Amino acid sequence: MDDGKPTGPKAKWWSRPTAGRTTASAPQDASLPAEDVRAVDTPAGDLDTTVVADVSPAPVLPAQAAPPEPVAPAPLVAPAPVTSESGVHAPAATAQAPVPAVKPLHEPDEYSTPPYGGPGPWAPAPPVQRPVPTPAHGTPLPPSYAGTGTNGAGVPTAPAPVPAPAPAFTPPSQPPQSSQWVQYDPWGAPRQPLTHPGPPLGSDGGRRKSRRGSLLVGALLLALVAGGIGGGIGAYVERNGGLTTVELPQAARNSGGRAPDSVAGIAASALPSVVTLHVSGTTESGTGTGFVLDKSGHILTNNHVVAPAGSSGSITVTFSGGETARAEVVGKDSGYDLAVVKVTGVSGLKPLPLGNSDNVQVGDPVVAIGAPFDLSNTVTSGIISAKDRPITAGGEKGDGSDISYVDALQTDAPINPGNSGGPLVDTDAHVIGINSAIRAADNSSSTEGGQAGSIGLGFAIPINQGKRVAEELINTGRATHPVIGVTLDMKYTGDGAKVGAKGAAGKPAVTPGGPGAKAGIKPGDIITEVDGQRVHSGEELIVKIRAHRPGDRLDLGLTRGGKDLSMTLTLGSATGT
C-alpha cells in the first residue's frame, strides 16, 4: 500500500531535493478515504507555489549556542485550500522570513559522498522495523521537538512556514503514536533508544536472575532431601540386611550321634572322667588336670601340679559337669612326676579306662583333654609322633631331687600350661599316657609350671609306667624305683653312660653287693646298650631303667678298655621321694 507517501521521484537518502523544484499537494475530494490522497504535480502557472530554499544552517559550537527557550508546541492546523482558476485547490502561499546564508564548515563534495557531500542526514538509517500505518496528515511532531526552534541537537533552524487557518478541513483524530516512531534526527541530543516501551532492561534481568536463583535453591534443596532419603534407606538396608527378611537355608537338627572313634565320639566318652584341679599353697598356686581312676575317688595327676599345696595347702577338684569337691594327696613321686589325690563324698564317678602303651604305634591318632590356662574341658587332637623319647623335667630346686626321668610318648596334639596330668587317649577312649611336659621355643623342655605355649612338641608318661606307680602310691603311699647300684659320671660327654670313679660322699661308684657288682660292672666302664637299644648319655640310661619294674632282668652292652662286653643283671629297688 502507498501509506500516503509522496509518489514523486525519491531523493537519495543522504541528500535533499534540488533547490528550485516546486511541489504542490492538494487534498482530493473529501469523499475519498484519507489513504487515497495523492500528491499532484501541477504546472507552475496554474497555482501559487511555495519555494523552499535549500539552505543549510551553519552549526553552532556548544560554547556559543544559547540554550533554547522552551516554547509550547503550536497546534497543527490544516492550510486553507485555495481555488485556482482551473478549480484545483492549492495551499495558500505562506510568507517566508528571510534566512541569512550560512557558510558550510567544509567544502562541497562534487561527488556528493557522505558525510562530506551535500548537506543532509548523514547518519546511518535507523534499524528497519515494522511501523504502524502513517496517517494521511503525516506523523505529528513529538512535544520534545515542537516549538523549540532547534533540530533536536540544539542547532537553531529557520522557522517553519505557518499555514493559514483553514476551518474547512479538520484532520481526523489519531491515537497517540508510540515514541519509537518519532522523527529520527541524527544530529539531535542523545535520547532513549528507539525500542519498544517497557520496563528497563535491568529490572527484567533482575527478575530473570531472581528466577534462576530460586530455581537453583530449589534444585539444591531437592538434592539434599533426596540425598537424605537415600542415605536413610542405605543405612537401614545395611543394618537390617535389606528391606525384606532374609532366611538362609539350614540343615535340620540331628540326633547328635557321632562315631565312637571320631574325635567328637572320643571326647564325649572321656570328658565325664576328666577333672580340673585348683591348687593353692602358702607361697604359690596353680591349675592342672587329672582323671578318675576308680569309683573310690582316686584321681591321677602330675606331681608338679599338687606340689604348690605343700603340707598345708588346699586342692579343689572340679568335674566336667561343674561339681566341685575337696581332695587330699594320697601319694606322690618326683622321680616319676606322678601323684594320686582322692575326693570323698562324691557319687556317680566314672573311671576312665586304661589302655596299654606298649601297643601304641607311631602315627596313631590321639586326643588330649585338659584345662589349658584354666579353660576346662578343652579337647585337642593329634598323633603319636615318637615313642621311647627320653626326657628330663624339673630341676628347679637345684639338688636334683625334683628331676623326673621319663621314657615318654611324643605327640603333636596341642598341650599347654594347665594340660598337665590330663589323659592322652586313643581312638577307644582309653588312656595311653599322662600329659606331662612340652618342648618350648625358648628352652629345652618345660613342665606345666612354665607359661610357654605349644609348638607341637608334647610329651606324655606311658600309662604302663603310670599304672604301676599309681598302684604303689595308692597301696603304700610311696613308689619304688628300679636301680642297678652304680654311680654315673654325668659330666661325661662321650657316647654312652660312663660309670664314675667314685660315688657320692666318697663311697664306691659300684655299690658292693648291688645288682651292678653282681653282674660284673666296674668303675670306668661305658654302658652303650640296654636290651638292644643304644644309649648315648647317663640320662638316657636312667630313663631306660626307670621304664622297668624292680626285679626285671636287663641285657647290657658295655665297653671296657676298648673291648665290647655284654652282661645280664636283675634290677634292684629303691624307695622314691
Side-chain angles (χ1 to χ4, degrees):
M1 60 186 290
D2 294 333
D3 291 335
K5 298 178 182 178
T7 58
K10 290 186 178 181
K12 295 180 182 179
W13 67 269
W14 64 83
S15 63
R16 292 179 180 174
T18 304
R21 183 175 179 176
T22 61
T23 59
S25 61
Q28 302 237 353
D29 193 314
S31 62
L32 296 176
E35 288 80 359
D36 295 333
V37 176
R38 298 290 186 271
V40 179
D41 291 334
T42 59
D46 294 339
L47 70 157
D48 294 334
T49 60
T50 302
V51 180
V52 180
D54 183 8
V55 179
S56 298
V60 180
L61 297 179
Q64 299 174 352
E69 292 292 336
V71 180
L76 297 177
V77 179
V82 178
T83 304
S84 63
E85 295 178 357
S86 59
V88 178
H89 295 279
T94 304
Q96 180 71 30
V99 179
V102 180
K103 183 180 181 180
L105 294 178
H106 56 81
E107 296 296 330
D109 185 5
E110 59 181 344
Y111 299 104
S112 298
T113 302
Y116 301 111
W122 300 322
V128 177
Q129 299 185 15
R130 183 176 180 83
V132 297
T134 304
H137 64 279
T139 303
L141 189 67
S144 57
Y145 294 140
T148 59
T150 64
N151 63 353
V155 180
T157 59
V162 179
F169 175 77
T170 302
S173 60
Q174 297 292 332
Q177 299 297 317
S178 173
S179 61
Q180 60 181 346
W181 302 117
V182 298
Q183 181 179 355
Y184 176 72
D185 186 355
W187 301 107
R191 296 183 181 273
Q192 196 165 357
L194 301 176
T195 58
H196 192 279
L201 292 177
S203 60
D204 183 61
R207 286 197 298 272
R208 286 198 297 268
K209 290 181 180 179
S210 176
R211 285 195 296 272
R212 286 197 297 269
S214 300
L215 291 176
L216 179 60
V217 172
L220 291 176
L221 291 177
L222 181 60
L224 290 176
V225 172
I229 295 175
I233 295 175
Y236 177 83
V237 170
E238 181 180 0
R239 293 179 181 176
N240 298 279
L243 299 177
T244 60
T245 302
V246 177
E247 294 184 3
L248 301 176
Q250 185 179 21
R253 185 184 181 116
N254 55 28
S255 60
R258 295 292 184 272
D261 58 349
S262 66
V263 175
I266 295 169
S269 177
L271 275 173
S273 302
V274 180
V275 299
T276 301
L277 286 78
H278 295 89
V279 181
S280 49
T282 56
T283 58
E284 57 181 335
S285 61
T287 302
T289 308
F291 57 93
V292 177
L293 291 174
D294 54 29
K295 292 186 178 182
S296 299
H298 291 102
I299 297 172
L300 182 62
T301 186
N302 284 133
N303 175 68
H304 69 263
V305 172
V306 299
S311 58
S312 60
S314 63
I315 301 174
T316 303
V317 175
T318 303
F319 295 89
S320 62
E323 302 87 352
T324 60
R326 296 293 295 264
E328 298 293 338
V329 176
V330 175
K332 58 183 181 179
D333 188 274
S334 60
Y336 291 114
D337 193 21
L338 291 172
V340 175
V341 298
K342 183 179 181 180
V343 294
T344 58
V346 179
S347 60
L349 296 176
K350 179 183 178 182
L352 189 61
L354 305 180
N356 191 325
S357 54
D358 290 341
N359 297 331
V360 175
Q361 300 294 323
V362 175
D364 285 349
V366 290
V367 174
I369 303 175
F373 301 101
D374 203 15
L375 300 173
S376 300
N377 304 325
T378 297
V379 177
T380 58
S381 64
I383 62 170
I384 295 296
S385 302
K387 292 177 61 177
D388 302 324
R389 184 74 74 188
I391 64 168
T392 58
E396 286 82 4
K397 291 183 178 180
D399 57 359
S401 60
D402 61 339
I403 296 177
S404 60
Y405 298 90
V406 180
D407 196 21
L409 299 172
Q410 180 180 331
T411 180
D412 66 349
I415 297 174
N416 292 284
N419 275 107
S420 283
L424 184 69
V425 300
D426 59 14
T427 56
D428 296 327
H430 294 169
V431 181
I432 60 174
I434 302 102
N435 299 321
S436 179
I438 60 175
R439 177 67 177 251
D442 56 349
N443 53 34
S444 59
S445 62
S446 175
T447 61
E448 290 294 328
Q451 290 297 312
S454 172
I455 60 172
L457 296 175
F459 304 95
I461 301 171
I463 193 59
N464 289 4
Q465 182 178 354
K467 177 180 177 296
R468 179 182 67 83
V469 173
E471 289 173 345
E472 292 181 349
L473 293 177
I474 292 172
N475 293 329
T476 66
R478 288 180 179 271
T480 58
H481 298 176
V483 296
I484 62 175
V486 299
T487 302
L488 300 177
D489 183 4
M490 303 304 292
K491 296 181 181 179
Y492 178 68
T493 59
D495 190 27
K498 184 179 182 180
V499 180
K502 292 183 179 180
K507 295 180 180 180
V510 179
T511 304
K518 293 179 180 179
I521 298 175
K522 295 181 179 181
D525 288 347
I526 299 175
I527 302 173
T528 57
E529 291 182 1
V530 175
D531 288 339
Q533 295 180 349
R534 189 72 182 179
V535 175
H536 301 283
S537 65
E539 288 83 359
E540 285 192 26
L541 178 61
I542 296 173
V543 169
K544 298 298 182 182
I545 294 172
R546 293 281 179 91
H548 293 79
R549 293 173 180 269
D552 291 346
R553 295 176 64 87
L554 298 179
D555 293 331
L556 302 179
L558 52 86
T559 300
R560 182 185 294 166
K563 295 182 179 180
D564 293 335
L565 303 175
S566 61
M567 57 187 65
T568 301
L569 61 76
T570 301
L571 293 174
S573 176
T575 303
T577 57

